[in-house]
Amino acid sequence: MACGNDSGAVRPLLGMDQFENLDKHTQWGIDFLERYAKFVKERLEIEQTYAKQLRSLVKKYCPKRSKEDEPRFTSCLSFYSILNELNDYAGQREVVAEEMGHKVYGELMRYSQDLKGERKHHLQEGRKAQQSLDQCWKHMDNSKKKFERECKEAEKSQLIYERLDSDINATKSEVEKAKSQLYLRQHMAEESKNEYAAQLQNFNSEQWKHFNVAIPQIFKNLQDMDGRRTVKLGEMYQSFAEVEQRVIPIISKCLEGMVTAAKNVDERRDSGIVVESFKSGFEPPGDFPFEDFSQNIQRTGSDGTIGTPKTEGGKPDPKHAVSRTKNKLWLFGKKPKAPTLEDLSHLPPEQRRKKLQQRIDELNKELQKEMDQRDALNKMKDVYEKNPQMGDPGSLQPKISETICNMEKLRSEIHKNESWLAEVEGKHGSRSERRASADVNHHAPHGRESPEGSYTDDHSQEHRSPPQPDPHEFDYEFDDDDPLPAIGHCKALYSFDGSNEGTLVMKENEVLYIIEEDKGDGWTRVRKQGGEEGYVPTSYVEISLEKNSKGS
């Protein structure tokens, strides 16, 4: 397709016979461009699939639990950091796919459409030029054939005239007629000759323009178009590579982050977390005392015989030794199976403290939600009261009452767990002091935080009690006292399931006897007609105090 231009005029090297080949070549160029565009599309689809699979992989291995429940080991934290970096890496692969789709594939498809339109225009111009030259050639050819016919007719007329003119038998009129016909044919032949000469000159001029101006310009336009196509492909090849080059620095940072996460793995810190999480808080067991069973054997040796010192009164204290053994042997032997208690007293002190603190935090969150709901309902009630057309204020009262009851339950649970937590942390007195306090309050639950705070043995605390407990302690605790007298009665406004220890199940509209008033913690101690006693939420009952009431 190269064109010489030595003298300033366009001089094509391709002839008209190569026009169809040029048509095929330009079509091949556009097909090749679209083939590369298809390659880019499949490439970006691979990137999209790769990024999607990476994100699915990250999601699969990301922790499903909340951050508070997640292990704090450096090996775990580093793995989660690697997952985050991999997620960012997947994002960069998506960027590559998006940039390829917009800056390479999209650009190629737009350019391909423009190229097709331009090629079609140039080919149409070439065909029009060829059709115009063909039309001019037809006119010239027709005038040539006409001139040929007229010349033959003139020659024929001349022969007829010459034959009649030499024939003595021909009449004068016949000769004159033949002569007139000869002049007519000669005139028509001359006109055909002039027309043929004009058409020939016009065709030669059009043919020169066609081969020296029109066709070379069309070929040059097609050549320029194909050259621009080639340049565009080179630019798109470069853009294809630059799209990925731009994300390489960010990808490198992601990989550096993974390396940093790997270096942050600290085995000492992880071991410290394990020790802190599983330490029991128990003191190591003391030495076992020597039990001398030879006290009653009469010694015949001298007083200086080596033996075990006698205890006061000459008798050993096996009770002390046995109790101490019972208290500490299970730490490294078989631990007695104890049921899971609500106060978590079956757990070691440190574990119990952590669980109680976690429970208190969760209850505080629930309480805050209930308080927010109560405030919202009260605001809505105020709006209804000021604008009755918006709603009935009374319709919100059951929900408000339910929310208040839930708040009371949660507060009670919080107080109860805080009491157990304080007990674990050593903020409460000994068991005997708690029992004395319970006696003053008519055996009410310790601290009156909630019905579940009723006096129970704390087995974990027993094992850490002084080595010589009161032998009559349990007898004292379980002595039957006289039932407390009723000081009034109450009517249940709502049903209460009494699922917690120390609470009492009641049904709506059920009448109960009050044996102890609410001490400010939201619970009232009641007795059923059958004699069953327990605590119910004060907000669940309608109370009527009667000074002279008697217990049933």
Side-chain angles (χ1 to χ4, degrees), residues 375-404:
D375 295 341
L377 291 171
N378 286 331
K379 289 180 181 179
M380 190 180 297
K381 182 179 179 182
D382 294 339
V383 172
Y384 286 177
E385 289 176 350
K386 293 178 182 178
N387 302 281
Q389 68 275 10
M390 296 182 66
D392 181 17
S395 62
L396 300 176
Q397 189 58 41
K399 188 64 178 177
I400 294 175
S401 300
E402 181 182 354
T403 304
I404 293 174

Side-chain angles (χ1 to χ4, degrees), residues 123-361:
L123 294 180
Q124 285 177 346
E125 290 294 321
R127 292 188 179 94
K128 286 180 181 178
Q130 184 65 41
Q131 290 172 0
S132 178
L133 184 63
D134 291 343
Q135 191 70 22
C136 187
W137 180 84
K138 287 180 181 179
H139 290 312
M140 185 273 295
D141 188 57
N142 290 335
S143 64
K144 177 182 176 182
K145 290 178 180 179
K146 182 179 179 182
F147 173 55
E148 184 180 6
R149 287 195 306 270
E150 292 297 335
C151 287
K152 288 180 180 180
E153 289 294 331
E155 291 176 357
K156 184 178 180 181
S157 297
Q158 185 176 1
L159 292 174
I160 294 173
Y161 170 71
E162 289 177 351
R163 183 175 56 82
L164 289 175
D165 187 46
S166 61
D167 188 3
I168 58 175
N169 293 323
T171 63
K172 186 178 181 179
S173 61
E174 290 176 345
V175 173
E176 289 294 331
K177 183 177 179 181
K179 185 177 181 180
S180 174
Q181 186 69 24
L182 174 61
Y183 288 155
L184 177 62
R185 289 297 180 184
Q186 288 178 342
H187 177 72
M188 292 178 65
E190 189 66 25
E191 286 183 350
S192 298
K193 180 181 178 180
N194 293 335
E195 182 181 357
Y196 167 61
Q199 291 292 338
L200 180 61
Q201 184 180 3
N202 181 57
F203 171 74
N204 289 332
S205 175
E206 291 296 324
Q207 182 176 251
W208 186 91
K209 290 179 182 178
H210 178 79
F211 284 101
N212 291 276
V213 179
I215 291 300
Q217 184 62 42
I218 291 172
F219 283 2
K220 185 178 184 302
N221 291 337
L222 288 172
Q223 180 180 0
D224 293 341
M225 180 195 74
D226 197 66
R228 282 185 275 109
R229 175 193 65 82
T230 305
V231 171
K232 190 68 174 180
L233 273 173
E235 293 174 352
M236 292 298 98
Y237 293 161
Q238 184 175 350
S239 297
F240 179 83
E242 289 176 347
V243 164
E244 191 147 1
Q245 277 183 336
R246 282 192 289 271
V247 301
I248 285 178
I250 303 177
I251 289 176
S252 297
K253 290 183 179 179
C254 294
L255 298 176
E256 289 173 3
M258 294 182 186
V259 173
T260 302
K263 293 180 179 179
N264 287 336
V265 176
D266 187 349
E267 74 281 4
R268 293 185 178 181
R269 182 179 174 186
D270 287 1
S271 297
I273 292 174
V274 174
V275 171
E276 181 66 23
S277 299
F278 295 108
K279 67 180 183 181
S280 65
F282 289 114
E283 294 292 333
D287 296 336
F288 282 84
F290 178 78
E291 300 182 42
D292 190 359
F293 298 101
S294 64
Q295 293 291 331
N296 297 325
I297 299 176
Q298 184 177 0
R299 296 182 182 273
T300 57
S302 61
D303 294 339
T305 304
I306 298 175
T308 304
K310 296 182 180 181
T311 57
E312 195 174 311
K315 293 184 180 180
D317 189 2
K319 179 180 179 181
H320 170 73
V322 171
S323 65
R324 188 172 183 183
T325 301
K326 289 182 179 179
N327 284 336
K328 297 190 177 181
L329 181 60
W330 65 270
L331 284 173
F332 294 94
K334 292 184 178 180
K335 183 175 180 179
K337 295 182 180 179
T340 301
L341 302 177
E342 187 180 6
D343 61 357
L344 305 177
S345 58
H346 61 287
L347 296 175
E350 183 65 21
Q351 298 301 313
R352 183 186 182 196
R353 181 187 65 79
K354 291 180 181 178
K355 291 291 185 180
L356 288 173
Q357 185 62 55
Q358 181 180 358
R359 185 189 292 175
I360 290 171
D361 294 340

